[in-house]
């Protein structure tokens, strides 16, 4: 959501090029065949572990490159490439979860004007507009007992 808001604010929701970050995205996309094979083998648990590893790597990279700081420094070309790469990572992850979370994936991929189809996952989206980000769910807030708000241990 942060990346989408930055893209909307600074670039009118227009994706740019991947510039120097294509290898970072290619690294994630390199896991596509492995994940699809795991799904075919009915090894969903291992597929999810690989997807979570990729998600962690994507989040770590975004935290390292800090696109919000690039905006403050007015490094807009670099920021556009980082946002485009990060949003392509998100798009790829949504394609990868589509076999197990089809409704969430479909909702997320609507932003990119795509339908959930793992064959499209490897196709990078650049130099075009995307739709507005739509939250996929609500955060779970825990109460004093460590339970979701509205629940009690009684």
């Amino acid at each position: 959501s942060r990346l989408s808001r930055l893209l909307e604010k600074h670039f009118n929701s227009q994706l740019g090029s991947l510039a120097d970050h294509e290898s970072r995205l290619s690294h994630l996309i390199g896991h596509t065949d492995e994940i699809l094979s795991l799904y075919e083998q009915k090894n969903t648990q291992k597929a999810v572990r690989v997807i979570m590893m990729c998600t962690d790597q994507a989040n770590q990279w975004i935290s390292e490159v800090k696109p919000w700081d690039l905006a403050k420094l007015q490094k807009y070309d670099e920021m556009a490439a980082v946002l485009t790469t990060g949003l392509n990572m998100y798009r790829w992850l949504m394609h990868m979860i589509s076999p197990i979370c089809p409704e969430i994936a479909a909702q997320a991929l609507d932003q990119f004007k795509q339908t959930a189809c793992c064959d499209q996952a490897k196709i990078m989206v650049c130099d075009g507009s995307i739709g507005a980000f739509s939250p996929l769910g609500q955060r779970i807030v825990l109460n004093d007992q460590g339970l979701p708000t509205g629940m009690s241990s009684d």
Side-chain angles (χ1 to χ4, degrees):
S1 66
R2 292 185 295 175
L3 300 183
S4 292
R5 282 191 213 113
L6 286 170
L7 190 74
E8 183 179 341
K9 179 179 178 181
H10 294 282
F11 303 102
N12 197 30
S13 297
Q14 293 290 314
L15 294 169
S17 72
L18 301 172
D20 298 330
H21 305 294
E22 189 168 350
S23 65
R24 177 65 65 171
L25 182 56
S26 294
H27 172 74
L28 289 183
I29 290 174
H31 291 282
T32 303
D33 293 336
E34 174 189 7
I35 293 166
L36 296 180
S37 176
L38 290 166
Y39 281 140
E40 287 173 8
Q41 297 167 27
K42 306 290 187 220
N43 196 343
T44 305
Q45 184 178 16
K46 190 167 183 184
V48 170
R49 279 195 301 252
V50 174
I51 294 167
M52 290 306 300
M53 176 195 70
C54 292
T55 303
D56 291 342
Q57 290 173 359
N59 283 330
Q60 180 180 359
W61 178 75
I62 291 165
S63 293
E64 289 170 4
V65 295
K66 298 179 174 119
W68 41 89
D69 285 350
L70 294 172
K72 292 175 191 172
L73 298 170
Q74 297 182 350
K75 294 184 176 183
Y76 295 114
D77 289 342
E78 175 68 9
M79 181 184 174
V82 166
L83 294 175
T84 298
T85 303
L87 286 164
N88 268 283
M89 290 173 169
Y90 170 71
R91 183 194 58 78
W92 177 80
L93 288 163
M94 293 301 103
H95 278 294
M96 292 297 97
I97 69 164
S98 65
I100 54 174
C101 300
E103 292 172 7
I104 291 172
Q107 183 182 348
L109 290 167
D110 189 51
Q111 178 182 18
F112 299 93
K113 301 169 185 84
Q114 294 184 343
T115 57
C117 173
C118 291
D119 291 339
Q120 293 180 0
K122 293 182 180 180
I123 301 168
M124 297 179 206
V125 179
C126 303
D127 300 316
S129 65
I130 62 171
F133 175 79
S134 176
L136 304 177
Q138 293 180 299
R139 287 192 185 268
I140 297 173
V141 178
L142 302 180
N143 62 22
D144 294 338
Q145 298 169 324
L147 300 170
T149 304
M151 297 182 75
S152 71
S153 60
D154 297 335

